[in-house]
Amino acid sequence: MFNVAILGATGAVGQTMIKVLEERNFPIDNIKFLASERSAGKEIEYYGMKYKVEPVSEEAFEGIDIALFSAGGERSKKWAPVAVSKGAIVIDNSSAFRMENDVPLVVPEVNPEDVKWHKGIIANPNCSTIQMVVALYPIHQRKKIKRIFVSTYQAVSGAGATAIEDLEMETKARFEGKYYYPKALPTHIAFNVIPRIDNFEPNGYTKEEMKMINETRKIMHAPDIKVSPTCVRVPVYIGHSETVVIETEEPITVEEAREILSKAPGVILEDDPFNNVYPTPIEVAGKDDVFVGRIRKDTAFDNGLSMWIVADNLRKGAATNAVQIAELLIKYQLIKK
Ligand code: A2P
Ligand code: 11C
């Protein structure tokens, strides 16, 4: 049994982490819910018991075995070294450490063994990257992928609890003929789509897009794979969707891809377009798997395949993946007690 702390417990991902730990019956001795001063004293229920949220502090990490972080990059940079110095292993959902050479970046269905070389911090990848590599890695193992073209349709919950409120408030305001300007998103989201997630880099790509390039290479151990991403925010509460086109070195048929994906860990194939069967975010929200549909031969490349990938960004894209990493730590006996 382990002592667990969640930093960012009041946030959209933090709340989902609590649910996922409970659902998976994670072996917990003591649990601590940490957030900012603003939330101090708020109550959170876990297994029917009420716990008070504590403001994060150095002492809060005393005796903690596993710390799940989801309070933004700045908080991770500040508190992860503190938690590690107190003996905790940090599983960090932010982008703060993902590309550090001594920090494993792990998707349990793809590179579970990478947890073994951690030095205290293990990074949880970006949500849009996780769902893409869960679906593409099994294909890559059979037919090497050279190139990936991906466009995302990302839910507002990826930008946190305030962005969820933004979608609700702006939609209501529009129906009431009132004006509302989003607080957490860069422009209007109700009845709109936004071709910008995170800040722009000098090369014209956003940080979110660069994460999809760099994280994919690191997780799949495929430094040469080419990724061309465009990331878009859509007025959906939960569930990121992606159109993905791959080019493989060898030809691959639709039947082969379906066969591979029907057996792939963490993947559910929902691909019967003529009977209107394909995944959508509303149906996928609340589930832990990555759903794939619309697999078809791409018309622009000889060895090309197109598909549609959907997953719950708060679950497999964040909380579930983090808890699965914690389960790997137990499986490989990496937690010192
Ligand atoms: P709080 O609710 O006290 O602000 P989201 O991504 O949904 O916006 O959630 C962000 C999470 O990060 C929340 O739990 C939030 O707590 C937490 N957080 C934000 N700022 C800090 C901070 N300075 N110290 C600790 N936790 C923070
Ligand atoms: C979004 N993918 O949907 C982002 C959220 O690097 O962990 C996650 C940002 C990150 O807005």
Side-chain angles (χ1 to χ4, degrees), residues 173-174 177-181 188:
R174 282 188 181 259
K178 293 182 186 149
Y179 183 81
Y180 178 89
Y181 196 80
H188 296 290

Tab-separated table of all heavy atoms in Angstrom, residues 173-174 177-181 188:
chain	number	residue	atom	x	y	z
A	173	ALA	N	-24.475	32.729	-23.329
A	173	ALA	CA	-24.540	34.165	-23.645
A	173	ALA	C	-25.059	34.377	-25.066
A	173	ALA	O	-25.903	35.245	-25.312
A	173	ALA	CB	-23.165	34.809	-23.472
A	174	ARG	N	-24.573	33.551	-26.003
A	174	ARG	CA	-25.003	33.719	-27.401
A	174	ARG	C	-26.496	33.449	-27.556
A	174	ARG	O	-27.180	34.147	-28.295
A	174	ARG	CB	-24.188	32.828	-28.325
A	174	ARG	CG	-22.818	33.427	-28.579
A	174	ARG	CD	-22.045	32.697	-29.636
A	174	ARG	NE	-20.743	33.354	-29.755
A	174	ARG	CZ	-20.429	34.219	-30.713
A	174	ARG	NH1	-21.304	34.527	-31.637
A	174	ARG	NH2	-19.239	34.788	-30.733
A	177	GLY	N	-28.384	36.413	-26.405
A	177	GLY	CA	-28.073	37.674	-27.096
A	177	GLY	C	-27.099	38.547	-26.325
A	177	GLY	O	-27.030	39.763	-26.517
A	178	LYS	N	-26.290	37.903	-25.419
A	178	LYS	CA	-25.309	38.674	-24.635
A	178	LYS	C	-23.899	38.407	-25.177
A	178	LYS	O	-23.702	37.502	-25.980
A	178	LYS	CB	-25.383	38.256	-23.167
A	178	LYS	CG	-26.697	38.638	-22.499
A	178	LYS	CD	-26.669	38.231	-21.052
A	178	LYS	CE	-28.028	38.466	-20.413
A	178	LYS	NZ	-28.291	37.501	-19.343
A	179	TYR	N	-22.934	39.193	-24.654
A	179	TYR	CA	-21.550	39.042	-25.100
A	179	TYR	C	-20.727	38.414	-23.991
A	179	TYR	O	-20.851	38.783	-22.830
A	179	TYR	CB	-20.974	40.414	-25.461
A	179	TYR	CG	-19.561	40.336	-25.992
A	179	TYR	CD1	-19.330	40.003	-27.327
A	179	TYR	CD2	-18.461	40.573	-25.163
A	179	TYR	CE1	-18.037	39.914	-27.826
A	179	TYR	CE2	-17.173	40.491	-25.651
A	179	TYR	CZ	-16.966	40.166	-26.987
A	179	TYR	OH	-15.687	40.066	-27.479
A	180	TYR	N	-19.901	37.444	-24.344
A	180	TYR	CA	-18.983	36.846	-23.366
A	180	TYR	C	-17.665	36.596	-24.063
A	180	TYR	O	-17.648	36.051	-25.166
A	180	TYR	CB	-19.559	35.524	-22.831
A	180	TYR	CG	-18.642	34.821	-21.853
A	180	TYR	CD1	-18.711	35.098	-20.491
A	180	TYR	CD2	-17.688	33.901	-22.306
A	180	TYR	CE1	-17.851	34.463	-19.596
A	180	TYR	CE2	-16.833	33.279	-21.421
A	180	TYR	CZ	-16.915	33.550	-20.064
A	180	TYR	OH	-16.064	32.940	-19.188
A	181	TYR	N	-16.573	36.985	-23.446
A	181	TYR	CA	-15.263	36.712	-24.034
A	181	TYR	C	-14.537	35.664	-23.187
A	181	TYR	O	-14.423	35.830	-21.967
A	181	TYR	CB	-14.429	37.993	-24.144
A	181	TYR	CG	-13.265	37.786	-25.086
A	181	TYR	CD1	-13.457	37.853	-26.468
A	181	TYR	CD2	-12.000	37.469	-24.600
A	181	TYR	CE1	-12.408	37.613	-27.341
A	181	TYR	CE2	-10.947	37.230	-25.470
A	181	TYR	CZ	-11.164	37.306	-26.842
A	181	TYR	OH	-10.126	37.061	-27.711
A	188	HIS	N	-13.046	33.420	-29.380
A	188	HIS	CA	-14.374	32.829	-29.195
A	188	HIS	C	-14.368	31.332	-29.495
A	188	HIS	O	-13.760	30.886	-30.465
A	188	HIS	CB	-15.377	33.537	-30.109
A	188	HIS	CG	-15.541	34.972	-29.736
A	188	HIS	ND1	-16.165	35.361	-28.583
A	188	HIS	CD2	-15.118	36.103	-30.340
A	188	HIS	CE1	-16.139	36.682	-28.492
A	188	HIS	NE2	-15.493	37.155	-29.547
